[in-house]
Amino acid sequence: METNEAGRWQICLDEIRRQTPSQTFETWFAPLQFVAFRNGTLTVSVPNRFVYEMIEEQHIGVFQQAIVKAYGPGIKLQYSIRAEQTQQPEPPQPKAGKAMAKPQQPPLDPQLNACYTFEGFVEGVSNKLARTVALSIAEKPGQVTFNPFFLYGPSGVGKTHLANAVGVRIRELYPEKRVLFVSAHVFRTQYTDSVIRNTQNEFIHFYQSIDVLIIDDIQEITTARTQQAFFHIFNHLQQNGRQLIITCDRPPVLFEGIEERMLTRFKWGMVAELERPDTELRKAILHSKIRRDGLSIPEEVLQYIAQNVSDSVRDLEGVVNSLMAYSVVYNCEIDLPLTARIVARTVNLEKKELTLDDIVQKVCSHYGIKQKEIHSKSRKASIVLARQVAMFLCRKYTDLPTSQIGQRIGRRDHSTVLHACKQVEHRISTDKAFRREMEELEASLKK
């Protein structure tokens, strides 16, 4: 490379490095090599087609900006692929009625949290079905009825704990089984690294050797290539009687950005929801924690926490931990005034005074519609929006499960409520005017 060209290419790389996170730069741009710059065309080589496709799909904007800064406007970009990626073969099919024999495998770290067990998972109305199915799977992993086990619900309701508990119990009952708990983020990172290093076959073969695969937060596997790799692994494991457990923040019906064939397979087994815990379950969880940790907290304090901290189990435990730390540091008793101050830093207490009827009335007034319209079957845009906002606020500010919210707002089912919440959340994150409108509406609810 001539000195002048080397300098301009370095300017291009420096600009990309400045505009992107270090991991993004090292993964996708560091492997690029300058080839030539002739007649207004910049040619760079990439290690394989996967890297080229990811740059074009995810990072082409920053790349083009850097090219303009280094070479000027109107430059054509051309790629030269150093080594064509070999296509992944379909997993071998087992003979009818007979599972394929497995070769001897090296020891495996299951990546399980020993603290997340069934004994520490408190049962209640909101999680009874999911916990019952999980126990059944732990006793007989790989059974067709509950394979895959697709567990969904909002953050902080215990999905990771329950999925992990299955793995821990299986390891106790079947120590010879290869169990692996992995987050979708780690899976995606491992696959990307295997493609860059041209070790995809080893990656696929490793995961196909697992007996019980637990994937946490599957919604993070969104790229087509990673989904394809997971599809091959999924098929192989299921066809060979291995158990798959998947957690997600939404049900399959609302899972966007994933291939239809994957969604179909998610529905083959058992789909179970974990809802936010009601007051009785929250109190039971608190009692379980103080027994487990050997703590001494007044009953009235536990009752106050259970009534006022409802969003997640993590928040419950966080409040208890904060109380204990505060009492130790300041050598004071744990009482209601102290608890109220700690809880006020964690949750918005005003929301506990709201009812579904309060919210529906306020939303209808805000949008200038009648309450009977929000409960109707009307698909008029303004009414649909008001209905979705009401469902979103009811889920946020009341203890009602999604099934009851849907039933009381137009006799809809829980999936409609989840869809409405997702639509409102998306609009809040992308529409500043709507976000300000929602902030004003929520402020009026708290008055």
Side-chain angles (χ1 to χ4, degrees):
M1 189 189 308
E2 296 180 3
T3 304
N4 186 39
E5 296 303 338
R8 287 204 283 186
W9 176 242
Q10 191 58 50
I11 290 173
C12 183
L13 291 178
D14 290 343
E15 178 65 14
I16 296 171
R17 191 192 301 272
R18 189 178 69 83
Q19 295 286 348
T20 60
S22 59
Q23 183 176 358
T24 299
F25 179 85
E26 293 300 326
T27 300
W28 305 115
F29 291 100
L32 301 187
Q33 295 178 2
F34 174 87
V35 176
F37 179 63
R38 299 188 186 92
N39 302 322
T41 298
L42 172 64
T43 303
V44 297
S45 72
V46 293
N48 51 52
R49 185 172 296 276
F50 180 74
V51 173
Y52 149 69
E53 290 177 352
M54 285 299 296
I55 290 175
E56 283 291 302
E57 292 176 7
Q58 305 288 336
H59 309 291
I60 189 59
V62 69
F63 197 4
Q64 289 176 336
Q65 291 175 11
I67 290 172
V68 169
K69 182 169 184 177
Y71 294 90
I75 303 302
K76 181 180 178 182
L77 176 61
Q78 181 173 290
Y79 299 92
S80 171
I81 300 174
R82 294 197 288 273
E84 287 289 336
Q85 178 181 329
T86 57
Q87 185 175 0
Q88 289 296 329
E90 291 288 337
Q93 303 296 316
K95 295 180 180 180
K98 187 176 182 180
M100 295 179 63
K102 290 189 299 176
Q104 187 67 29
Q105 298 290 342
L108 171 68
D109 181 354
Q111 300 295 318
L112 293 166
N113 186 331
C115 297
Y116 287 170
T117 64
F118 282 112
E119 289 73 20
F121 189 90
V122 183
E123 182 179 300
V125 175
S126 63
N127 62 31
K128 182 178 179 62
L129 173 63
R131 188 177 187 276
T132 301
V133 172
L135 275 168
S136 175
I137 290 171
E139 293 172 359
K140 296 180 180 179
Q143 58 181 306
V144 176
T145 307
F146 300 141
N147 194 20
F149 180 35
F150 190 98
L151 187 62
Y152 74 92
S155 176
V157 295
K159 301 186 300 295
T160 299
H161 185 151
L162 187 56
N164 190 99
V166 177
V168 171
R169 180 63 61 85
I170 291 175
R171 289 270 295 172
E172 293 172 353
L173 298 176
Y174 306 94
E176 76 283 359
K177 287 192 177 295
R178 289 168 62 79
V179 179
L180 179 64
F181 181 102
V182 62
S183 70
H185 174 75
V186 169
F187 181 92
R188 186 182 63 196
T189 301
Q190 290 174 344
Y191 178 67
T192 299
D193 185 64
S194 75
V195 173
I196 293 172
R197 299 174 183 274
N198 288 318
T199 58
Q200 304 97 297
N201 286 335
E202 289 87 343
F203 173 87
I204 297 291
H205 291 158
F206 166 75
Y207 274 96
Q208 288 180 342
S209 75
I210 305 301
D211 294 307
V212 180
L213 178 60
I214 305 169
I215 297 282
D216 199 26
D217 290 328
I218 192 70
Q219 71 273 3
E220 294 190 20
I221 297 182
T222 55
T223 61
R225 288 298 183 89
T226 310
Q227 288 180 19
Q228 183 181 27
F230 182 71
F231 179 79
H232 289 320
I233 293 167
F234 183 104
N235 269 0
H236 178 89
L237 296 183
Q238 190 177 59
Q239 290 169 2
N240 285 277
R242 321 284 179 78
Q243 180 68 52
L244 290 116
I245 302 169
I246 299 166
T247 75
C248 189
D249 65 356
R250 69 205 71 168
V253 69
L254 298 182
F255 205 150
E256 299 176 355
I258 194 165
E259 292 185 24
E260 184 61 33
R261 61 178 182 172
M262 268 312 337
L263 291 180
T264 300
R265 282 159 175 77
F266 289 162
K267 300 172 187 176
W268 278 357
M270 176 67 188
V271 177
E273 179 184 12
L274 279 178
E275 294 188 354
R276 287 189 173 91
D278 58 20
T279 303
E280 288 305 310
L281 179 55
R282 294 198 295 271
K283 191 172 179 180
I285 290 171
L286 289 170
H287 277 291
S288 174
K289 177 174 175 58
I290 65 172
R291 283 197 305 269
R292 184 175 65 248
D293 296 347
L295 307 177
S296 177
I297 297 179
E299 185 65 24
E300 62 180 2
V301 168
L302 295 180
Q303 182 69 27
Y304 183 87
I305 297 172
Q307 290 176 340
N308 291 284
V309 183
S310 62
D311 282 348
S312 75
V313 176
R314 295 192 191 103
D315 288 346
L316 289 173
E317 296 188 343
V319 167
V320 173
N321 292 337
S322 296
L323 282 172
M324 297 306 301
Y326 201 95
S327 68
V328 170
V329 172
Y330 293 99
N331 192 27
C332 61
E333 293 185 358
I334 295 177
D335 54 16
L336 276 180
L338 172 61
T339 304
R341 293 200 301 272
I342 297 296
V343 170
R345 300 170 189 170
T346 307
V347 298
N348 187 350
L349 295 183
E350 286 89 342
K351 72 180 184 180
K352 295 293 165 281
E353 302 172 2
L354 294 172
T355 67
L356 181 143
D357 292 335
D358 293 333
I359 293 170
V360 169
Q361 181 180 9
K362 181 68 71 172
V363 170
C364 288
S365 174
H366 177 82
Y367 286 103
I369 65 173
K370 298 177 180 178
Q371 289 193 35
K372 65 179 182 180
E373 292 179 302
I374 207 171
H375 296 298
S376 71
K377 301 296 183 182
S378 173
R379 301 301 301 169
K380 187 177 178 181
S382 59
I383 296 176
V384 170
L385 175 60
R387 188 182 298 129
Q388 290 180 337
V389 168
M391 289 177 173
F392 170 81
L393 293 174
C394 285
R395 192 180 186 201
K396 183 174 182 179
Y397 287 100
T398 75
D399 289 333
L400 295 174
T402 54
S403 56
Q404 288 190 32
I405 293 173
Q407 183 65 22
R408 293 178 60 182
I409 301 181
R411 295 186 180 277
R412 268 69 176 184
D413 60 23
H414 76 283
S415 64
T416 302
V417 178
L418 292 173
H419 176 70
C421 294
K422 182 181 178 184
Q423 292 294 104
V424 173
E425 289 168 355
H426 175 72
R427 190 165 174 183
I428 288 173
S429 66
T430 58
D431 186 335
K432 291 182 179 179
F434 182 74
R435 182 162 62 248
R436 286 195 297 272
E437 178 184 342
M438 287 297 296
E439 289 172 353
E440 293 172 0
L441 181 55
E442 292 187 49
S444 69
L445 282 171
K446 299 170 188 176
K447 291 181 180 178

